[in-house]
Amino acid sequence: MTYDIVLCGVGGQGVLSLAAIIAKGAMMERLHVKQAEVHGMSQRGGAVIATLRISSQEIFSDLIPEGAADMILSMEPLESLRHIKYLKKGGALITGKDPFLNIPDYPDEDRLYKEINSVPSSMIIDTKSLALEAGSNRAQNIVLIGSASKVLPIKRETFLKAIEDVFSRKGDDIVEINKKAFLLGRKS
Amino acid sequence: MSDLVLLGDEAVSQGAIDAGISIAYGYPGTPSTEIIEYLQEWKRKEDHSLVASWCSNEKTAYEAAVAVSMMGKRSLVTMKHVGLNVAADAFMNSIGFTINGGLVLAVADDPGMHSSQNEQDSRYYADFARTVCMEPRNQQEAYEMTKEAFHLSETLHLPVLLKLTTRISHSRAVVKRGPIREKKELNPSRDRHHWTNLPFLSRQNYEVLWQQRTELVTISENSDYNPLIIHPDNTDLAVITTGLAYNYYKEAEKELENKPSHLHISFYPMPEKKIRALAQRAKRVIVIEEGYPYVERFLKGILPLEIQIDGKLNDTIPHLGEINPDICRRALGLPVFEAVRPPIQDLPGRPPQLCRGCPHTDSYKALNKALEEYDHPVVTSDIGCYTLGYFPPHNAIHSCLDMGASVSMARGAAEAGAHPVVGVIGDGTFMHTGIQGLVDMLSAGNRVTLLILDNSITAMTGMQETIVDSSRIVEIVKGCGADPEHIKILKPLPKNLEENTAIIKGEIDYDGVSVIISARECVHITKKRLSKR
């Protein structure tokens, strides 16, 4: 089994922690993992892409070929489409609903949603409302992981344990908020 | 020992720790920065005696490390590829020395220029200097190779260059630790002729180095880091990979029916015999290499003309940018996988930009306003977040060459007759190599306004502490000889726009060197402090 994910968003949106938590879950299930990130200049409010490869066998490449990703997981709609060339036929496109507006020529949202919906296995998640419902606006990326978890080859319980591990040093309240965010995302 | 999940950079750090280093020096630069950061964390948590320090620039870092070696201890130096240009004088001239404690230089190249101004290939520096270069394919190898590099440095008495690229530096995977070596005790070399570059000594040292070259080639020919797999049935094609191209090739190779013979090169100098052995059956050799066509050019020198060499020089492989799985597939004649839908052509780009509330934005606003009345102002800038002032809405800068160049270029522009000339430099970059330019312009008495954007941190590379506290910059500027009357400090905030503009205008009118320090901490420091409360 190999499962390849392209993760994207805008620098500062938490794309790297998104990748880190899924990678943690995969490793807890004793799968091989390779996670490529972007650091440095592009982190400053620019388009950010990371790749995560999960496999039961040894993985060679850090990068995913075009047309080979099983999933695109994006924090926001424009960025989800920027990397569409990587998504294989039958792959899942999951994105947060709210645009991240920091450029003057951001496209019309409805046009973006239409393009996203043209991909058969696509989901547009209202991460903001669900994160607020869970108790914190900052849990938007965990909501997204919850939505992705419906498709990812990692168990629900493993994710909850991974979230607990990652947030435990920030206190029980934060752990609970994030678990709730995950479950709300999973239900959406 | 439990397995670790490490970035390629961090695997180098862990390898250096387990190789028994005492000291690591470096200058922050994407994609190399995490090497020192990991060591600093290790120092805090595991080993207080370890030294892991940022230096004011790559040259001072490398020179300090040479002395650690002279004292008999092991040291690691880290920098990005262009940092080695700064350290090149020290590196090139240390090659004739008889290295005592292991000295490894870890350099991270940035093919694709994700966060750099060029994509120069550090293998050329190792070649130029006539030393060993090693380039890991994955995180585990980065760990093991670093240890091997220290071993080789001590047995060959040479500094060893470990080359990384962005993709391995910033990719995570599991690393298994191996045996750990103890640190070395202080044991200064008494052989002063080994550490002194005087022409009569350098001639002798160079001769030793020249005689050593065959030994290095022999190690390379026998190295497991240069694996050669011969598939005798394929008499048409052979493949050479370097760097991470190995990984892309291994995944694509599964789809090739008649597997070509394959040589991967991770260890330099070039394994010439292995290359000949690979090519002797082939009509065509494809070279898939990360960086410049370095191996490819070497091939042109040693292979018969009848053998076709495909690579960057004949555009089989793009000459610019990073190698990736698709480039590799195309070069091998494999189809690219079909995507779920065609790409959308007219999506707007999203280039990096200054953060919301960034002090640089306010500095640039005031500067632009102060320069409004001039037709041709010249603003020379430098390397850092503030280079983003090139983009709209700022459109504030006219040049960015290399670290520290804003100051020296401002001097040149002024002396060529331009006015007004403003040099814009950050606090970290000023300490790196900006001071020398200031000394120059003060001695020449040029009509230049130097604007030091002091945000109290090295921000672009991810918040490393600067080498001196910001409060001392004004003393340094005074110490260089700037007139205290024309050293101004302002606070870049929206509410201070009028006042700041007036200060900058006033100094532009001054017929001499003036220095304006625009000081407000990076918003990320503020955020961090507030979240700690």
Side-chain angles (χ1 to χ4, degrees):
Chain A
M1 183 278 298
T2 300
Y3 200 91
D4 294 334
I5 313 169
V6 170
L7 304 108
C8 41
V10 181
Q13 271 196 310
V15 175
L16 294 190
S17 31
L18 198 68
I21 290 171
I22 300 174
K24 195 172 179 73
M27 276 184 294
M28 287 164 81
E29 297 201 356
R30 305 198 156 272
L31 294 165
H32 294 269
V33 165
K34 272 210 170 185
Q35 181 198 335
E37 309 172 352
V38 175
H39 296 201
M41 186 184 247
S42 34
Q43 276 180 299
R44 298 274 167 263
V48 175
I49 177 172
T51 59
L52 178 60
R53 308 192 69 201
I54 301 170
S55 179
S56 47
Q57 297 103 41
E58 186 191 358
I59 306 165
F60 285 102
S61 166
D62 305 83
L63 295 175
I64 301 168
E66 291 176 18
D70 296 278
M71 178 185 284
I72 287 181
L73 190 56
S74 176
M75 292 297 295
E76 73 93 67
L78 171 59
E79 297 310 319
S80 79
L81 290 169
R82 194 183 301 287
H83 306 293
I84 197 78
K85 66 178 179 186
Y86 287 104
L87 192 62
K88 66 157 80 156
K89 281 188 180 290
L93 174 63
I94 303 176
T95 178
K97 177 172 146 270
D98 289 340
F100 189 97
L101 299 171
N102 69 343
I103 45 172
D105 46 354
Y106 196 95
D108 175 56
E109 289 161 42
D110 290 328
R111 188 198 145 203
L112 293 181
Y113 296 145
K114 204 176 134 206
E115 299 280 14
I116 292 164
N117 286 326
S118 78
V119 175
S121 308
S122 62
M123 286 190 260
I124 299 172
I125 311 293
D126 190 351
T127 52
K128 192 172 180 184
S129 308
L130 294 173
L132 288 171
E133 190 184 332
S136 166
N137 190 31
R138 294 178 67 181
Q140 290 196 46
N141 48 6
I142 308 297
V143 170
L144 207 60
I145 292 175
S147 307
S149 74
K150 290 189 277 189
V151 194
L152 292 171
I154 300 165
K155 292 188 204 74
R156 173 182 177 273
E157 288 66 35
T158 312
F159 271 120
L160 289 171
K161 181 80 185 55
I163 289 167
E164 202 169 308
D165 279 9
V166 168
F167 292 103
S168 60
R169 63 189 177 89
K170 294 188 176 172
D172 291 346
D173 290 355
I174 303 289
V175 170
E176 284 316 308
I177 288 171
N178 282 290
K179 279 186 174 176
K180 195 173 170 193
F182 173 82
L183 293 171
L184 285 170
R186 195 171 165 94
K187 250 195 275 174
S188 68
Chain B
M1 215 170 297
S2 68
D3 295 349
L4 300 165
V5 180
L6 300 178
L7 293 172
D9 274 354
E10 296 169 340
V12 170
S13 318
Q14 192 63 56
I17 292 163
D18 293 349
I21 58 159
S22 300
I23 299 182
Y25 296 120
Y27 187 81
T30 313
S32 71
T33 312
E34 291 79 3
I35 304 174
I36 293 285
E37 287 187 324
Y38 185 90
L39 292 169
Q40 290 180 333
E41 198 62 19
W42 187 267
K43 176 186 173 69
R44 249 189 312 275
K45 289 184 177 158
E46 305 284 340
D47 176 9
H48 297 304
S49 73
L50 181 73
V51 175
S53 296
W54 294 123
C55 299
S56 56
N57 66 44
E58 294 85 354
K59 180 176 181 288
T60 64
Y62 188 86
E63 289 159 346
V66 169
V68 175
S69 168
M70 191 176 163
M71 296 303 115
K73 296 187 178 183
R74 298 188 188 103
S75 64
L76 176 73
V77 197
T78 78
M79 57 195 65
K80 70 185 294 176
H81 57 332
V82 288
L84 184 49
N85 297 332
V86 179
D89 196 8
F91 174 63
M92 293 298 295
N93 288 307
S94 68
I95 297 294
F97 286 3
T98 307
I99 290 303
N100 187 11
L103 173 59
V104 174
L105 167 64
V107 186
D109 291 8
D110 190 14
M113 298 183 246
H114 297 274
S115 217
S116 305
Q117 67 270 45
N118 78 24
E119 48 178 38
Q120 67 184 54
D121 187 331
S122 297
R123 291 178 297 177
Y124 283 87
Y125 265 118
D127 190 345
F128 196 17
R130 299 184 193 284
T131 189
V132 170
C133 174
M134 299 166 90
E135 182 177 14
R137 285 169 281 189
N138 55 49
Q139 292 74 1
Q140 184 67 37
E141 200 166 81
Y143 170 79
E144 285 162 12
M145 223 177 224
T146 305
K147 292 164 85 174
E148 177 70 14
F150 276 100
H151 171 71
L152 282 172
S153 174
E154 282 175 11
T155 50
L156 298 167
H157 303 292
L158 283 171
V160 171
L161 193 153
L162 185 72
K163 181 203 165 185
L164 303 163
T165 50
T166 307
R167 201 50 68 181
I168 184 166
S169 288
H170 290 166
S171 175
R172 280 173 215 279
V174 171
V175 172
K176 288 184 202 306
R177 284 175 77 185
I180 296 167
R181 292 176 79 189
E182 289 299 314
K183 288 187 191 131
K184 294 183 84 175
E185 296 296 323
L186 176 68
N187 179 25
S189 165
R190 309 286 171 204
D191 301 313
R192 60 198 190 106
H193 61 285
H194 285 168
W195 307 91
T196 308
N197 275 325
L198 270 171
F200 86 96
L201 292 171
S202 301
R203 279 181 213 115
Q204 294 165 20
N205 293 341
Y206 186 78
E207 194 53 38
V208 173
L209 188 65
W210 184 253
Q211 297 306 331
Q212 209 179 9
R213 78 193 193 287
T214 50
E215 186 188 350
L216 303 190
V217 171
T218 305
I219 296 171
S220 177
E221 296 287 4
N222 297 319
S223 173
D224 291 340
Y225 290 128
N226 293 337
L228 171 64
I229 296 165
I230 298 285
H231 289 291
D233 292 346
N234 192 332
T235 54
D236 176 46
L237 182 67
V239 173
I240 296 180
T241 54
T242 77
L244 297 195
Y246 175 86
N247 300 333
Y248 311 139
Y249 176 70
K250 286 311 275 185
E251 293 197 355
E253 190 192 35
K254 295 173 202 158
E255 294 172 44
L256 297 174
E257 279 181 19
N258 188 10
K259 289 197 191 345
S261 298
H262 173 210
L263 171 64
H264 177 75
I265 304 177
S266 288
F267 189 103
Y268 304 85
M270 220 75 80
E272 191 177 324
K273 278 188 198 149
K274 275 185 174 166
I275 293 172
R276 286 186 198 278
L278 174 90
Q280 76 183 15
R281 284 183 198 81
K283 296 187 187 71
R284 186 162 74 98
V285 180
I286 302 182
V287 190
I288 311 172
E289 68 186 311
E290 193 86 89
Y292 286 6
Y294 174 70
V295 171
E296 194 181 341
R297 283 178 63 189
F298 183 80
L299 255 54
K300 298 226 180 241
I302 63 162
L303 295 186
L305 278 173
E306 301 83 70
I307 298 180
Q308 183 183 330
I309 300 165
D310 284 342
K312 297 189 172 184
L313 294 173
N314 70 354
D315 294 319
T316 304
I317 310 268
H319 58 275
L320 199 70
E322 210 180 355
I323 300 289
N324 62 37
D326 294 299
I327 289 172
C328 181
R329 292 182 66 83
R330 281 190 200 102
L332 294 166
L334 290 169
V336 172
F337 300 112
E338 199 185 344
V340 67
R341 56 157 294 162
I344 302 159
Q345 298 301 340
D346 60 339
L347 293 180
R350 184 151 10 207
Q353 49 190 281
L354 293 173
C355 305
R356 254 171 236 173
C358 177
H360 299 332
T361 303
D362 292 309
S363 296
Y364 278 134
K365 271 187 186 157
L367 177 63
N368 280 346
K369 213 161 173 223
L371 294 172
E372 238 166 28
E373 63 188 89
Y374 297 96
D375 290 336
H376 297 291
V378 178
V379 179
T380 57
S381 189
D382 226 298
I383 310 272
C385 287
Y386 49 93
T387 321
L388 297 172
Y390 182 86
F391 293 110
H394 321 288
N395 298 318
I397 66 170
H398 302 113
S399 75
C400 167
L401 172 62
D402 63 15
M403 294 285 285
S406 59
V407 191
S408 354
M409 283 184 70
R411 182 248 166 116
E415 219 142 46
H419 178 77
V421 178
V422 181
V424 178
I425 189 167
D427 51 333
T429 310
F430 179 68
M431 293 308 302
H432 180 280
T433 33
I435 297 173
Q436 296 82 351
L438 178 61
V439 172
D440 281 0
M441 79 170 62
L442 284 164
S443 76
N446 304 117
R447 190 174 184 186
V448 169
T449 309
L450 183 63
L451 183 59
I452 301 178
L453 305 181
D454 175 12
N455 62 355
S456 312
I457 202 90
T458 310
M460 180 65 100
T461 47
M463 317 304 281
Q464 290 75 37
E465 300 253 330
T466 38
I467 198 78
V468 300
D469 191 75
S470 281
S471 60
R472 285 176 53 202
I473 287 184
V474 66
E475 296 307 320
I476 291 167
V477 169
K478 272 187 206 160
C480 288
D483 179 354
E485 293 283 304
H486 293 281
I487 300 173
K488 307 280 177 188
I489 297 174
L490 48 87
K491 188 160 191 182
L493 279 170
K495 63 172 183 185
N496 298 344
L497 178 63
E498 294 305 324
E499 185 192 338
N500 292 345
T501 306
I503 293 172
I504 297 171
K505 264 188 168 172
E507 292 311 314
I508 283 171
D509 289 340
Y510 170 59
D511 188 11
V513 176
S514 58
V515 180
I516 303 170
I517 302 170
S518 184
R520 174 159 74 84
E521 70 180 10
C522 171
V523 286
H524 294 285
I525 307 182
T526 320
K527 267 190 205 160
K528 217 173 172 179
R529 202 179 42 235
L530 292 176
S531 75
K532 269 187 190 161
R533 273 185 191 165

